[in-house]
Amino acid sequence: MRFAWMLSALFLAGCGHTAPAPRAYALAHGGGPGDLFLVGGGDESPPLYAEFLKLVGGPDAPIVIVPFAGGPAEAASCQQQFARAGATHVSVLAASDAPTVLSGAAGLYFVGGYSDHLLAAFAPFKTAAQSAWASGCVVGGSSAGAMALGDRTIVDGTSDQALKQGIAGLDVQPGLGLGAGMTIDPHFTQRQRFDRLYVTVRATHTLGIGVDEQTAALVHPGGTLECLGAGSVTLMQPDADGARVELLNPGDSVPLADWRTH
């Protein structure tokens, strides 16, 4: 379905694509980069935890929760959700752990909270996480935990501030870089973040990925992005006329090769 919007003085166009047939999931260690599982936050969604568990290889796959954006309460809630989904081997990363503990993980999951806290506290583990992901570890996160996985992270600032001050009204910092060339913005529709993502991608020349609550943008190693869950995923790329935007509904997918990123 094609559509056209006039929003914030931009002409936008987009359509959904048919999702590919389900594939068999298995541990991918040693076979190249793992999937990226970017959740838009909001109320916890049991089906999304179950999907992450499939991606890492099943209930017995070792999953490490990264709690630094939030704290013990967020980590405990995440553990409970994984337990309800059937996971049997879930641990929580501590600041005192050696970075090598990430090398044995089939999945890393970053809880929500404050992305600047996460980026600062996770710095000693960044290289180990990138290495684990490059070897097949599935990396996911919710809310601030998803934001931090991109090339750029919007640490602070609203759409109103972005419209009034441009990029100077936002605090945009380098992310963990697993989503190369991407800026990820969760709670996208619910918190009206269209304009702040637009201003950011125009300034940073990145591909914007806005993820609604209770929704996941699943980026497969082959370069396909798939929308899962209850809401939508918005792709945004600046161009000479304003921005190219595509709205994905649950089950839709697109090849990211069709999108220019730097």
Side-chain angles (χ1 to χ4, degrees), residues 182-251:
M182 299 178 186
T183 297
I184 301 147
D185 211 351
H187 308 281
F188 191 67
T189 299
Q190 292 76 14
R191 299 187 185 179
Q192 301 179 344
R193 287 179 164 174
F194 182 95
D195 293 302
R196 82 169 195 170
L197 184 59
Y198 170 73
V199 168
T200 300
V201 299
R202 291 285 295 183
T204 61
H205 303 287
T206 53
L207 171 63
I209 301 178
V211 189
D212 286 354
E213 295 178 356
Q214 299 185 10
T215 307
L218 172 57
V219 182
H220 296 292
T224 298
L225 186 148
E226 182 180 357
C227 176
L228 305 173
S232 300
V233 172
T234 301
L235 299 183
M236 183 186 302
Q237 174 184 293
D239 60 24
D241 298 321
R244 172 192 176 195
V245 171
E246 187 157 359
L247 181 69
L248 305 182
N249 292 313

Side-chain angles (χ1 to χ4, degrees), residues 77 110 198 225 256:
S77 175
F110 293 72
Y198 170 73
L225 186 148
L256 291 181

